[in-house]
Amino acid sequence: MPGMSILTQRLRTLCSRVGGTGASWAVVATTVPALALGLGAVPAAAATLPGGLGPCVPGSCPDPFPGINNGPIAGRDAAINIFVGHDFLVRGRAAEAEGRVVVLNDFDQQKQAGVSGQYNLGIVGVGSRVPPPNGSDFLTTGGDVTIASGQRLDTTGGIIGEQGTVRYAGTESGQVTGRLVHDPAAAQPYTALRGELTAASQCYARVDGAHRQPTGTAVNQGSQTVFTGDGTSALQVFDVDFDLAGPNGAQQGIVFRGVPAGATVLVNVYGANRTINTYSGGIDDSTDPLNAYRERLLWNFPDATTVDLAGTGQMQGSFLIGDQASMTTVTLPGVNGRFFTTGSLTHTSAATGGGGQEFHAYPFNGDLPDCAPTPPVTGEVRVHKIDEETGAALAGAVFQLWRETNGVPGLQTGGADPDTHVTDCTTGADGRCGATTEAGTYYWRETGAPDGYELPDPDVFGPLTLSAENASAGVEATVRDTRTPVPPVPGAIELTKTDAANGAPLAGAVFEAWRETNGVDGLQTTGPNPDTRTGAACTTDSAGHCAFGDLPLGLYYLRETAVPNGYVLPANQVFGPLTVTEESGTTPVPITVANTRREEGGEYGYDYGPQDKRTKH
């Protein structure tokens, strides 16, 4: 692009067009905010467009953005400047689209024959001169890129070393100056924006189905439409249900009054078919007050299926067209701000008049109504598992978390209308597990106890109510488990029967085992409260052995009831007490009992060590 002489020439051309209308080129405004201040600082409670659209994304964002110029590159802006939900058509004598462009369907360039066949995208000759970062995606499409024969899509701006990437999901045909990347998923990161922008457009325009309450008035006076604000509100809302055009559709001016410095201006333009035909907005910021509102002015069309933006002005502010079946036709010499349409866009020239129509990249820094859904209150619902006796934390307990949803008190996990299962968790080393979830009423159900512990009965704990008041701390149920009873290891007694004279083993002696159970010293085998006989009688084998096994731990007595042939029964047939412990399960309690032969004249003989205890009568 040549030097400033071209800019001056464009300015003169624009002035001559406006002069032909018989109207003043500069817009009269009661208050002219200082453009260098960007209409004031952003209030703390700011709500942007969906997806964070609007502000400059570094790159390197100039502060402030320069006015319309053709000087050196002034910075880099990675934000989307133009979003098109369906097709972007370049027709007539349209010239340029500055900034990053995302098109969910096709980009189709078929300019008028006999004029320059080049369309500049990303870097342009005249604009803010803040293009996307060098080499980044300048154009992204979810469909085809089609450039008519003999025409060219240029991403270099005529600058050596500069180029943008054209990323497309469909096919590419025609001449493109820049880096081409075929990517079937090119538009996938941006598809959700279409629905979000439609919803935002409706939200900005309506509250509970009625038009959003305006803070000022908009009056079409024929030669101009005058917007008069309330002078105080940080968000100035205007309700427009008419075309911004003069008599018989002629051009008219746009005037803002009573808009405080720093305010965001939201103009809701209602109706199915709408036109703005204006000479307002200038190349030189110092000559047109409308330019000062550029970065905080949004024109919102929630319902229009056709939008025509016409005239000879350098239109200021960003645009949002919410109807996804819409077609917006832009023949204005310049649009200065973000341009977001959920439908299709035709960038072209009027049937009469000059060409060179341009989109210029400027941020939208306004503070719009917050249309994001109110985030739900969330907090942590926990369970703490401990030992019933010691209070020690228990790892490895498995729980289900259920939300009360069926309106029936208590937890229902089955049937036609159960409560809602949220998640499962297993307690860690600290005995805790939990989940972050929305406010409501919850139950924990234990489905698996730690090793060595029993499932409690009942196994449901709650209700726990998570609310806005306790969400920051969360709620917790403490669950105590008891150890699984461990049956004692049974013990054993092993008796050896020997000859009192020579120690030889004796077979055929019969013994009974009795357990001490009545708390009275000695063995009682009769009466109202005897001790307890355990198991069957035991007869010594050829090795003189007789064993009593599987004995519960405790004190025992052995009672001899029969002797081998040739031996005499001792006068005291009771031996004990013998203490059976867990150790006796592997090492039986030993006892040796000796018998005396009858012919030797003795009555009895026995030897069972220091635990000897005579029967009490």
Side-chain angles (χ1 to χ4, degrees):
M1 178 67 68
M4 284 299 291
S5 60
I6 297 297
L7 180 60
T8 304
Q9 184 178 15
R10 289 191 181 184
L11 180 59
R12 289 173 179 168
T13 301
L14 180 58
C15 290
S16 66
R17 291 182 196 163
V18 175
T21 67
S24 171
W25 177 58
V27 177
V28 177
T30 303
T31 302
V32 182
L35 184 67
L37 298 178
L39 287 179
V42 177
T48 64
L49 286 151
L53 295 174
C56 177
V57 175
S60 55
C61 299
D63 186 16
F65 261 62
I68 303 168
N69 72 97
N70 67 346
I73 288 177
R76 300 284 183 173
D77 180 6
I80 297 171
N81 190 57
I82 300 174
F83 176 89
V84 181
H86 195 56
D87 294 333
F88 188 160
L89 309 179
V90 177
R91 299 291 187 263
R93 289 161 287 173
E96 301 178 330
E98 188 175 33
R100 188 174 167 209
V101 179
V102 172
V103 181
L104 294 189
N105 201 44
D106 296 337
F107 179 90
D108 185 278
Q109 177 180 326
Q110 190 172 348
K111 296 179 64 174
Q112 178 180 325
V115 301
S116 170
Q118 180 164 309
Y119 189 80
N120 299 321
L121 189 144
I123 305 174
V124 300
V126 174
S128 67
R129 300 293 285 165
V130 184
N134 189 21
S136 66
D137 289 358
F138 282 19
L139 172 63
T140 301
T141 73
D144 302 336
V145 174
T146 304
I147 311 301
S149 176
Q151 299 185 19
R152 178 172 60 201
L153 177 66
D154 183 76
T155 67
T156 70
I159 303 173
I160 296 174
E162 291 280 349
Q163 72 168 353
T165 296
V166 174
R167 187 178 300 274
Y168 59 98
T171 63
E172 185 278 328
S173 62
Q175 185 178 0
V176 175
T177 305
R179 176 172 170 259
L180 287 168
V181 175
H182 180 243
D183 178 359
Q188 186 173 342
Y190 313 104
T191 55
L193 281 175
R194 192 183 194 197
E196 292 169 1
L197 286 168
T198 293
S201 180
Q202 286 294 325
C203 172
Y204 299 153
R206 293 180 171 86
V207 177
D208 297 329
H211 286 199
R212 182 174 291 277
Q213 182 66 40
T215 59
T217 60
V219 179
N220 190 332
Q221 298 177 343
S223 63
Q224 61 184 13
T225 291
V226 178
F227 296 88
T228 304
D230 64 6
T232 58
S233 298
L235 175 64
Q236 297 284 311
V237 180
F238 297 98
D239 190 319
V240 175
D241 59 359
F242 50 82
D243 290 338
L244 275 70
N248 300 316
Q251 294 190 73
Q252 66 168 209
I254 297 173
V255 176
F256 284 96
R257 297 173 178 159
V259 175
T264 297
V265 179
L266 171 61
V267 181
N268 288 316
V269 184
Y270 301 92
N273 304 285
R274 282 291 171 248
T275 295
I276 296 179
N277 189 6
T278 185
Y279 52 77
S280 289
I283 287 181
D284 188 344
D285 287 338
S286 66
T287 62
D288 198 312
L290 184 61
N291 289 34
Y293 297 93
R294 178 167 55 221
E295 295 181 17
R296 300 183 72 82
L297 170 59
L298 179 67
W299 302 91
N300 179 37
F301 295 77
D303 310 319
T305 55
T306 62
V307 177
D308 290 321
L309 303 179
T312 57
Q314 284 287 328
M315 188 62 179
Q316 303 294 312
S318 295
F319 283 81
L320 174 59
I321 294 91
D323 192 306
Q324 297 184 11
S326 64
M327 171 60 80
T328 300
T329 302
V330 178
T331 58
L332 280 161
V335 174
N336 299 275
R338 305 301 194 200
F339 197 94
F340 305 133
T341 175
T342 63
S344 293
L345 170 64
T346 299
H347 195 201
T348 186
S349 53
T352 60
Q357 284 69 23
E358 303 170 357
F359 285 103
H360 299 151
Y362 285 95
F364 175 75
N365 296 322
D367 308 319
L368 294 166
D370 189 354
C371 292
T374 302
V377 174
T378 60
E380 190 175 24
V381 181
R382 299 180 301 274
V383 62
H384 187 201
K385 187 71 170 178
I386 61 174
D387 184 284
E388 172 69 36
E389 294 184 2
T390 67
L394 298 179
V398 181
F399 286 88
Q400 295 176 340
L401 180 62
W402 291 76
R403 180 182 174 93
E404 173 62 65
T405 55
N406 64 1
V408 179
L411 174 62
Q412 292 79 44
T413 61
D417 186 23
D419 292 310
T420 301
H421 179 215
V422 178
T423 189
D424 296 344
C425 73
T426 302
T427 57
D430 63 351
R432 288 183 168 88
C433 69
T436 298
T437 185
E438 297 181 10
T441 299
Y442 293 88
Y443 301 91
W444 285 108
R445 181 187 182 196
E446 187 172 359
T447 59
D451 290 343
Y453 287 82
E454 293 189 316
L455 273 175
D457 184 15
D459 58 4
V460 174
F461 307 92
L464 299 173
T465 300
L466 183 69
S467 65
E469 290 72 24
N470 61 24
S472 59
V475 291
E476 182 174 284
T478 299
V479 178
R480 296 171 172 82
D481 272 9
T482 57
R483 286 190 175 275
T484 302
V486 178
V489 177
I493 298 172
E494 187 174 88
L495 177 140
T496 302
K497 188 68 171 178
T498 62
D499 184 291
N502 58 26
L506 298 179
V510 181
F511 287 84
E512 297 171 346
W514 289 75
R515 185 179 181 189
E516 173 63 66
T517 57
N518 64 1
V520 178
D521 289 344
L523 174 62
Q524 293 80 43
T525 61
T526 60
N529 186 25
D531 291 311
T532 302
R533 182 175 171 182
T534 301
C538 179
T539 302
T540 58
D541 59 17
S542 60
H545 293 155
C546 175
F548 295 92
D550 294 326
L551 299 177
L553 307 186
L555 295 178
Y556 287 85
Y557 302 95
L558 298 185
R559 180 186 181 198
E560 189 171 6
T561 60
V563 295
N565 290 333
Y567 289 82
V568 296
L569 194 67
N572 187 348
Q573 298 94 33
V574 176
F575 310 95
L578 306 172
T579 302
V580 174
T581 64
E582 290 187 6
E583 289 75 14
S584 68
T586 54
T587 305
V589 177
I591 180 172
T592 299
V593 177
N595 276 171
T596 303
R597 285 184 179 275
R598 182 176 292 112
E599 60 267 27
E600 294 176 356
E603 293 185 357
Y604 61 89
Y606 61 91
D607 177 14
Y608 55 91
Q611 300 183 84
D612 185 7
K613 180 180 178 183
R614 304 284 180 151
T615 303
K616 292 189 177 181
H617 301 283

